[in-house]
């Protein structure tokens, strides 16, 4: 199942820099692991925002929910999920 996911990150300004850097490092490692195994198919920055659009290919809604909750930045994100279906004009 394919999903388009928009993630807007809102890290509190009073979070200590050392903690922010640790969270970001763990986020990068986790996301790259999911990209390598094919479940996180692509990730695109939104220009001028601390946000991204990503495409996930997972077996179920529950699997996507579990993966998103595993993101170290999850507590600081607003997430929108859009299920995708193949377009009849796609080649």
């Amino acid at each position: 199942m394919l999903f388009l996911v928009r993630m807007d990150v809102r890290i509190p300004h009073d979070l200590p820099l050392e903690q922010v850097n640790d969270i970001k490092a763990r986020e990068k490692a986790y996301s790259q692991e999911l990209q390598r195994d094919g479940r996180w198919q692509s990730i695109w920055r939104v220009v001028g925002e601390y946000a991204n659009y990503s495409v996930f290919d997972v077996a179920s809604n529950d699997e996507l929910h579990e993966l998103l909750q595993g993101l170290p930045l999850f507590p600081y994100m607003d997430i929108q999920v859009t299920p995708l279906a193949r377009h009849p004009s796609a080649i």
Side-chain angles (χ1 to χ4, degrees):
M1 300 176 71
L2 291 176
F3 295 91
L4 177 66
V5 179
R6 180 180 168 119
M7 298 177 225
D8 291 271
V9 182
R10 302 190 195 319
I11 298 173
H13 293 86
D14 60 347
L15 205 61
L17 183 59
E18 184 176 298
Q19 188 175 351
V20 171
N21 289 339
D22 175 64
I23 292 168
K24 287 180 180 181
R26 290 186 293 117
E27 180 85 8
K28 183 175 183 177
Y30 181 69
S31 70
Q32 289 181 344
E33 175 187 326
L34 295 174
Q35 290 173 68
R36 284 187 193 95
D37 74 20
R39 291 183 287 175
W40 194 327
Q41 291 203 334
S42 61
I43 182 170
W44 298 93
R45 282 185 174 167
V46 178
V47 175
E49 300 179 36
Y50 194 173
N52 73 74
Y53 280 103
S54 295
V55 176
F56 287 84
D57 187 2
V58 293
S60 67
N61 296 335
D62 291 332
E63 182 181 2
L64 179 62
H65 186 72
E66 183 178 314
L67 293 179
L68 294 175
Q69 280 192 314
L71 292 166
L73 282 170
F74 180 79
Y76 312 108
M77 289 182 173
D78 293 324
I79 298 175
Q80 297 174 353
V81 176
T82 305
L84 300 175
R86 185 149 184 87
H87 194 284
S89 297
I91 55 172

